[in-house]
Amino acid sequence: MFIPSQRWAVAYLSLAILAAALVSAQTPQPTTTLEMVTSAKNLPNGIEIQAASATLRITALRDDIIRVRISPGALPEDESWAVLPGPRGKSVDVQPIQSDSAVGFHTASLDVRVERNPLRLVIRDLAGNIISADAVGRPTRFQMGGFTISKQSDEHYFGLGDKTGSFDRRNQAFTLWNTDVAPQESVDPLYKAIPFFLAINGARSYGLFLDNTWRTWFDFGKQARDAISFGSEGGPLEYYVLYGPTPKQVVEGYAYLTGTPPLPPLWALGFQQSRYSYTPESQLRGIARHLRADKIPSDVLYLDIDYQDRNRPFTVNPETFPNFKGLVSDLRKEHFRLVNITDMHIAHAPNQKYSPYDTGEAGNHFVKNPDGTDFIGVVWPGPAVFPDFTRAQTREWWGGLYHQFAEDGVAGFWNDMSEPSVFSGPGMTMPLDAVHHIDEPGFAPRTATHAEIHNIVGLENARATYEGLLKLRPDDRPFVLTRATFAGGQRYGFTWTGDNSATWNHLRLATQMVLNLGVSGISFVGADVGGFNGSPQPDLLTRWVEMAAFSPLCRDHATKGSLPHELWVNGPQQEAIRRRYIETRYRLLPYIYSLADEASRTGIPLMRPVFLDFPEIFAPGSGGIEHVDTEFLLGPSLLVAPPPFAEMLDGYSVGLPRTTSWYDFWTGAKMASVPPVPSIATIVTAPAGTLKLPSHIHPPLETMPVYVRGGSILPMQPLIQNTDETPDGPLELHVYPGPQCSGSLYFDDGHTFRYQRGEYLRQKLTCQSDANSIRVNFSQREGSYAPWWKALEVVIYDWPNADADAKLSNGASTMKTSYDPKKRALHLLLPDVAGEANQDVVLTVIPVQH
């Protein structure tokens, strides 16, 4: 333990080093351009190259992941806030390549070459197709402490988190610098900095992750039509190229590097109601009563900053919330979880018995000015200090601040304003010369300016909260919601798209932003339902609820001063529509929870762009789908096709990938094939009168078009009002015949870590169909968790009539059958015999011929 004199001696030494670094940074730096290879040395896992004074080290972590480090001199310290230590230390042996024109190596998947003169990195697959290549005539350049690197361009680009603008990043440019900004209308930068993009070119996909925490930028052909460029104002030039060839493999590779999300508690996937702010205590109790009285399924209520004493984090206002612990207890009796906001700014309150400040100051936990004093900025509580989350000790102290809330039973926590947002600061944040102390395993202890640390403050704030809750409640899965984050932020829970607005355009943007966050590694995400700023029109709120019912995070939230937009406002007709979609979400929870399990193991997002499962829509000559920016998939089975401009009265075509059949989710009807959207070339060359255009739909307000992929087995459950409730009835398995028919089940207790000790249920389901029969295969179940259901109801769609013979391969008793002619659906009710067998069980159903 440091005594004060030792601690300040170290601090002053660090500040002296920092001051010298700042003087150096202000001195004009020589420009270094990588022009030609001057020497090369083979490594077991790659190659190291000198280009005059510059150093390049290119290594293979896996056969499909290449790491590139470039420096104008010696390589800097090998450290990362985003990439996990395990993957960063991995390598595979490579086969060296050397010729008069190039040096490099190849792996089992990639050919990696550096052309000698001019120096140019080119990565190909083993068939010779270029995956990624430096742009011709645009060498990598170091200048003024930063760098610029350019790649040749002929692709579609996605990622960088929740940027506004068009869904495809082509012909756009972006800055990554976490910023508190509202409204979001085509504004950049925003709250998150995720320097990763996914590129798709025909049948090949790759990803590129720039591991740099400074202010960075990406230009996808806006300045130069034949090249993309990216760079930073400082820090190391280090990036990873991740090869697919499918986009899903790229996303999985990125999750391998930066981590998968933790499996959330089941209740976090339920409906959540919030507002800035529900106060006093009686108002929150009234919201809870109204939700239950109107039978709107729901699990979570939020408290924004007005529950606090003078907006001070980790306090409760005793006048407006006189019985806080009793409130939490009463809400739990009604099966609600409470989530409290806990912003990162600590009120600067010396000698006022404000424990977070007193203990933070005693532990030297706050960000400093260059002169060694605490940096003080104005936020909600007035003058405030800011935890230095780059110190492991500070994160541990921060996590301990949740002790009382955890004892009171508060279920989850909401870290807002962590860009960091500072009302009185330059650019609404800290000065760039504010001082952070890095004291972190895997890093050499040192000081760093805020210019380097700014983009990871939200990441490390969420990490401190998550790890603190794990320590306080070791067997409860934490729920942490953060607005700002960096690459790897998925490791600590949920995020949302920030302070959106109650406009039709923001409804459209919500889909694009969540989808791009999904391919950027953030699986558990949503947008404020109805829009945070302003008051939504009734139809807008209804459409937003309909869409959010199929998103990972379903939270209705609004700002102070806006009109109420809880689901019952605007009358019973609107409420009935909204309730129906929330009920649908709760019936789909077995499917959604299985997707959450998949995300926690693979990084594949729940809500995903259509191309993630159907990359062929970008293949040459495919015709694509028209509304790739507004349609989306929930898992592999459900395609949601909202009106692309929902405020308009026009009809629109639905882009259903043509490599499989599709069914209407609501009616069960098998869809007729729809002609593809014709390309310009097709329109120009088609003989007069022969061009077939897609048919258009005009869905009424109460209908959100949703389709099920042919070849899906979709699990559903009887309706419940909250996730504490045990469904009453059989587990439903809805079978939609088609190619490669499959589905999966995942269940556990929904809130503890006992699943990590084998207390879970995981089961694969497949089906095969032909003209004579359909067979549903139940594979052996994994895990020891006992499910809630005692029976299964198998529903087979596109079935010709009510007559069928059905039997189980284990010889179990006969089952009840019924038929729904309107949906052409055969229902079979059978005991849960599949779970009792230590072998696969097959259900065979044969139509009876008369």
Side-chain angles (χ1 to χ4, degrees), residues 537-550:
Q537 303 167 30
D539 287 3
L540 171 59
L541 178 57
T542 296
R543 276 293 186 208
W544 214 314
V545 171
E546 291 174 357
M547 288 178 57
F550 298 95

Side-chain angles (χ1 to χ4, degrees), residues 253-402:
Y254 178 69
Y256 168 79
L257 284 181
T258 62
T260 56
L263 181 65
L266 178 61
W267 57 262
L269 300 174
F271 177 65
Q272 307 185 12
Q273 184 64 58
S274 180
R275 183 173 178 83
Y276 173 33
S277 286
Y278 290 132
T279 185
E281 177 181 312
S282 59
Q283 187 180 28
L284 187 66
R285 290 180 181 273
I287 294 294
R289 285 195 300 271
H290 207 147
L291 285 164
R292 292 291 179 246
D294 285 16
K295 294 190 178 300
I296 299 171
S298 46
D299 272 270
V300 184
L301 297 172
Y302 279 74
L303 285 177
D304 210 317
I305 60 173
D306 287 339
Y307 80 93
Q308 299 171 147
D309 179 15
R310 291 165 286 176
N311 290 336
R312 294 181 173 187
F314 302 101
T315 66
V316 175
N317 186 329
E319 295 183 2
T320 53
F321 289 82
N323 184 20
F324 183 77
K325 187 172 184 178
L327 169 68
V328 178
S329 175
D330 291 346
L331 291 175
R332 278 301 296 126
K333 291 173 186 175
E334 294 299 318
H335 305 288
F336 286 106
R337 265 83 175 185
L338 186 64
V339 173
N340 283 12
I341 198 169
T342 50
D343 291 340
M344 63 168 286
H345 41 257
I346 299 296
H348 182 253
N351 304 314
Q352 297 181 38
K353 297 183 179 180
Y354 175 44
S355 179
Y357 175 80
D358 294 340
T359 57
E361 184 66 17
N364 195 30
H365 291 308
F366 300 131
V367 176
K368 306 299 181 187
N369 292 308
D371 64 1
T373 59
D374 288 343
F375 166 74
I376 300 172
V378 175
V379 205
W380 294 119
V385 289
F386 299 81
D388 189 359
F389 291 113
T390 55
R391 301 176 70 235
Q393 309 97 305
T394 298
R395 294 197 304 274
E396 185 174 4
W397 160 79
W398 172 268
L401 296 178
Y402 289 94

Side-chain angles (χ1 to χ4, degrees), residues 468-489:
L469 294 175
L470 278 179
K471 189 172 182 179
L472 291 169
R473 298 189 292 217
D475 205 30
D476 276 359
R477 298 177 218 169
F479 175 81
V480 179
L481 178 67
T482 182
R483 185 172 69 180
T485 194
F486 185 71

